[in-house]
Amino acid sequence: DSFLEVPPTGTLSKDQLTGLPGLEGSLIAAYAQLSALSQTHSGPSNWLIGSIRGGDANKGTDPGDGTEMIPIQRYEYVSTDQVAGNVYASYFDGVARANSVLSLLKEAQASVKDADKARISAEARFIRAHFYFQLKRNFNMVPYVDENIGVGNGIEKVKNDTDLWPKIEADFKAAYDVLPETSSSVGRANKWAAASYLAKTYLYQKKYAEAKALFDLIIANGKTTGGRKYALLPKYSDLYRVANDNNSESIFAVQATVKSGSGNNANGDLQLNFIQGVDPGTCCGFFQPSFEFVNSFRTDANGLPLLDNSYNAPANAVKTDMGIKSDQPFTLDAGPLDPRLDHSIGRRGIPFLDWGPHTGASMIRNQPNGGPYSPKKYIFTKAEKAAGLTETGGWGHQTYNAYNVTIIRFADVLLMAAEAEIEVGSLAKALEYTNMVRGRATNASDFVMLNGAPAANYKIGLYSSFPTKEYARAAVRFERRIELGMEGYRFYDLVRWGEDVEAINRYLKYDQVLLPGALGGAVYTANKALFPLPQSQIDLIGKDILKQNPGY
Amino acid sequence: QKSVSGKVSDSKGEGVPGASISVKGTTAGTISDAEGNYKINVPNAGGTLVISSIGYKTVEITLGNQTTVDVTLEDDAASLDEVVVTGYSVDKRRESTGAISTVKTRDLTTVPSASVEQQLQGRVAGLTVVTTSQPGSGSQIRVRGFGAFGGNAPLMIVDGFPVGDVNYLNPEDIESTTVLKDASAASIYGARAANGVIVYTTKKGKKNAKKLNVTYDGVFGFTDPGQGQKMMNPQDQAEWTWTALRNSGAPLTHPQYGSGATPIIPDYLKVGNRSGVVGTIDIEAERAKYNITGPTIGDYYQVIKANKAGTDWYKELTQTGTIQRHSLGFEGGGDASRFFVGLSLQDQQGILASQRAKRIAMRVNTEFDLFKNVRIGENIQLTFLQILGRQGGNNGLQSSQDENDILGAFRSPTIIPVRDEFGGWAGTTALGFGQGSNPVANQQAGKLNKNYNALASGNFYIEVDPIKDLTLRSSIGGTFNNFYGWGYGRPIYETLENKSVVWSYNESGGFRLGWTFTNTATYKKKFGAHGIDLLVGQEALNTGFGKDMRADGRAPFSGDPNYITISTLDIRNPATSVKDNGITFNSYFGRAIYSFKDRYIITGVIRRDGSSRFGQNNRYGVFPAVSAAWRLSDESFMKGLAWVTDLKVRGGYGTMGNSNNVAPANQFNLYEQNVGTSGYDINGTNGGIVGGFRQSRIGNPNAKWETSITKNIGIDGSFLKGKLDVILDLWQKDTKDLLYTLPITQTVGSATAPSVNVGTMVNKGIDIQVITRGKFGAEVGYEFDVTGSFLDNKITQIGGGLTYLLDVNPGFRGVNPIRNQLGYSLSSFYGYQVVGLFQTQEEVNEALKPTATPGAAIPTQTGAGLGRFRYADLNGDGTITADDRTYLGSPVAKFTGGLNFRLTYKNFDLLAYFYTSIGNKIYNISKRFTDFYPLFAGSAISERVKDSWTPENRDTNIPRFEQNDGFSTGSQSSSFYVEDGSYLRFQNLSIGYNFPTTLANKMKLSRLRVHAAVNNLLTVTKYGGLDPQVAGAADTNFGVDLGNFPMTRQVTFGLNVGF
């Protein structure tokens, strides 16, 4: 009887969403998951599972804070850990939201125009491919589910036996074919974002010819959704300013905003990575750059990096203030350094953006545990804070800001194109692309200044030539490390190059001497290139359906 | 004057010795002899005799001309002749066939507490209560175990209509409290009775009372916070910090203690941005720089002196609590009316500054006979309720698991003073002491937060007796609850981490209106030896519909609380609101009792309920129960056994339902719009979002009622002429179709999965109540009332092939202590079994071998090291893996019991009350903070650590104090944290003095009593934490002690006056 029919409140039913506004709204919800709802483990910056796992940094802060991240930095992750579980859940939430859009489209009302349907479908497929790309490189084999399967319809029984690459390619290809070049909604994926991601997908599969062909088109014709032709910004440091969101180099980025009423709409996955106790941010001192990574910014007399990895040799290692209190004297390293060091990493004596010089130990939460360095790339400036582009985070400190986290930027595309050129094109072209990226870093007007002079001995030069493929590979790979450091790329690059075991153990060996508490005894083995599938999913669905990755 | 004599007898005709006989309004009085005979001089004309004796109801007899007055006293106790109020009916316990317990109002008022339900602890066999000492704390009340994975609170009925909470009731207003435990008793409440039913009835007044009866009951008391845990003094903490560094091969350096072989205790912990300052400072120069108001972080400047004597943070945090309760009762009635008016005020100030609970209530109960066979009446209470500063979710019960101010007292190093040199708060902003906030500052700021709840609740009813023995009753009841509150977030500048430079502020309010409409017909008649009692009824209700609104923001120009409103905030978040349509139920029920000579009694109950919680397919559930009783003592073969006064055997079998553990929207597929979870700045504005819609819930239209099947066998026995009463029940409750949000594959996304009927659970137990009463000699009366309950709770099926509840896995800084798994009780503890500590390097080397040897004496173990935990290799595969985790104990007590001991001597009475909980374990996770160095290194260290492992101190179970926080130290759930939580508490000792009636009468009073009591006198336990009563967030998640509020000693004084 009707007395027992009590309607739910504050919610919508499916048939209220099949008109154009409902379909657009569900697409917005799919975009919203790009930020992973501020989850620190699975957020778009990949600071934990891309940068820390790649040796750019360690967890930092106090050992007792964020304990669930300790197995990540020590490569001791197991199937019951929280981090891999969160990552898996968060990415599949993105897949599910995209599938939800595509599923609603099948029931679209007659009033919805075909052109709108096609565009919405293509954007949803772009988002779905993005999340499957993330799943692929973190877990390899996961169940593939699309909009044609759901609860009560077999979704619980899908095995993880399908190669995801063709599915990802198909989605990006569909988006590339259908999406417009520009839109007034600058946060949308456009044709060229889909092309770039598709080319990246080819590169991950070592399909160099397909990749090169597409990169050629992108570099020649690509433009942002806002209509800017793809180009490097003149100043490297401008990449990290909120005012330059959606710049000519931003191919696809997660749109962050303050003042929405929820920190989830800001780049909340970074909220732990500010300076502990003082501005900027006051919390919580995570994501501390590694010694080995800092050393890699050492350049030679020509301003070129030490491709033979001799940067760790005692003569080359960058001088640190490890173990030195802030009120004790410290003299800066005087040797030649790539200027991008001081845009990427906060270190004692160097101006920390416009907050004044980094004071060393007093800006570090627990130096014996995390080392002397601070992250710098996603940190807001005093001016940005004053302009209201920051927001108070979950613990009552200002750690949300409106800086877009970039998924693909043009420098990344140029260096990927260089990789493809080395394999199937010309070394000269690879050299050209690499030097384009390096050239921007040589802009002296962008050097970090202190008392009217460059804050350190910045020395950077261009490559005169790539004599061999081997040399070119080493140079391009090193350039990716420096250019894209602390941006979540490193681990995945190492794995796809097959350099993970060697490079990560080199980093561990160096840093664990200095940070015995955090890293002592840690070893990287090849099976850690993949996360284990979450044990709770295997317990739920069954070992016969979900096959665990080797070594777990 | 003349002489009156007679005999005082009990209901069996036996003489009652030692009964007191007095003449009302005079000093005359005497005591009956060994046979119950007495003789007393009384005035010639009129007068009233008052006859009383412990264990019997007091009788007043108006004297006429007679000179012989024989008196029969009725038993007065939780004994077998009493009346039990079951909500829809009033039955005699003698005739009942179900498992029913009653609680005396006296027991509810002995110890003052914010909610009457807390006083049920230990008073009812088969009922467990776990609560906290916070004013206004909720309680985990469970009747006969835990039937389901959630929603196990009993149904509470006040004056016939169901309520959500009884914290508004004044215990002095309560006339009777009845607990219906098994299906045969509770099934009349059918679908909502699976967790038992607690029926409260408030005072009604008496018809023909003639006289207005006015009473005052007052109590006033103090609560002493007691002692905190023992934490290291500043010198010891510095030295043990060095020990930790040394044990880890780390350089001996610390922001406060300097660098070098021995730590240096600094003179100042912080001077501006300098830490660990040794020597003197220019205090006036520093004062000029002092800044604790910002406006930005860099501007803060504090000077914090080291408190070398050590701060006792628990002492600083706590204060003496107070409690007072004043109740006025007006009772009376005329020929065709009766009434009760209760006015009460209760004010409880907790041991923390911000914690307070206030209740002001007015109750008016009346009944009028409109005609000889028509009665109308009402029970209405208006209440103002305020519960302030309560910490923790689940109505405060979750506080034990939270990083709250109680834990804060044990995280703050003793060297930190409460305040800085210039009056601001001191704290971990001085480097090297972890990151906790100043708990004293938190409490002081918490005093600004307020809330106001106004409740009106009650019912109107009409009763008609159309023919003799048939009564028709119709009642409409409701609760209107209006609530409003606000809270401030203070600028926190004294901590390392939590710095927030501006005030934040929120306001919220709303209302709920619930109603219940009940219609019943009862027919009760005796046909010779045959007795028939019939009840049929219908009930419709809505649990409460209404709306909530909330707004918040931050950064007002001024921190003046009088300035701050939502309008004066510089940054305002969008206001939010929630609409709630409530949950509806519609029910039909009937009960039939047939009895033959009162010797054979059979009862049948059936109820059919429908609820809006379920979809059309399974909306209704039918819940029948049958029970029977056989009065053995009436049989001829028992006549010879003189010591058996009354003996009844009862048995019952029946089903009850439960729908509490399913979301009202469970049947629907839903989408939601939410700023945080579905909005996105698609236009790249950096200034706001476009809204979106995401799937928020997957529906299950087929969910149905949980059903519990109860079996109960019991005896009600009265022996030795009523000197000994025994009530014993053996019971088992099997719950099936348990509703559980069975996790679904994550490939579906994050929409909430629906509850499905999959699980089963078994609870079984024994409930015992033994009452013995009598006299020592002629003048000392005694009464022992012992209740005891044995309980065994076990999950027997989860569904979906699962062996444990995947979705309940609370984490405490990386330690996950709880697993609800098959074959064990709810909320069982789970982890590695510690078999000892690594004692030798050889053992360590063995454990660090990379290849495992199955069955190895020392299995391979990650992170093995000297003085670290050695875990048991339970599967014998030679290596410690996640598969070696196991059941470590349960927070569910195997036995709980209460002992009530009452002595009377002349006008004095003495009451002692003990409560015990045996066989429960506690997961003492607070040790993770106080006994291990690395978790927020620098925070306070427990004295226990002095007994930690060293090469010289190997015979200990406390691991080596070191920096490592690896697999083999404190970071894993292990048996190290599990402690025996059994305890015996001397909960109450009170002494009362009843002024002689004659003396009272001289003061124009009918009754005058004074009493004094000590509560929580003594607790015997092996538990190492603050207090062994530990609640939690939910039935699947409790017994974990992180910041438990302790039960501490309380002294009260009281006065009872009858005018």
Side-chain angles (χ1 to χ4, degrees), chain A residues 103-141:
Chain A
S103 167
L104 285 168
L105 273 173
K106 291 195 288 189
E107 295 171 40
Q109 291 164 19
S111 60
V112 182
K113 292 188 190 111
D114 284 347
D116 285 324
K117 279 200 247 184
R119 175 185 52 78
I120 291 169
S121 169
E123 284 184 64
R125 292 186 72 174
F126 177 92
I127 293 167
R128 181 168 71 185
H130 162 74
F131 285 110
Y132 272 124
F133 182 86
Q134 293 280 53
L135 284 162
K136 174 73 190 176
R137 58 184 191 167
N138 281 294
F139 297 95
N140 190 24
M141 302 301 267

Side-chain angles (χ1 to χ4, degrees), chain B residues 128-191:
Chain B
T128 57
V129 179
V130 181
T131 185
T132 84
S133 68
Q134 300 186 79
S137 172
S139 302
Q140 184 201 51
I141 296 187
R142 298 295 173 257
V143 176
R144 293 193 162 177
F146 305 83
F149 297 136
N152 291 324
L155 178 64
M156 283 174 289
I157 306 285
V158 174
D159 291 329
F161 78 99
V163 298
D165 201 329
V166 292
N167 62 2
Y168 70 97
L169 282 182
N170 179 30
E172 308 280 2
D173 290 352
I174 293 172
E175 180 144 293
S176 76
T177 306
T178 309
V179 181
L180 312 178
K181 298 190 285 194
D182 73 340
S184 36
S187 243
I188 193 71
Y189 287 100

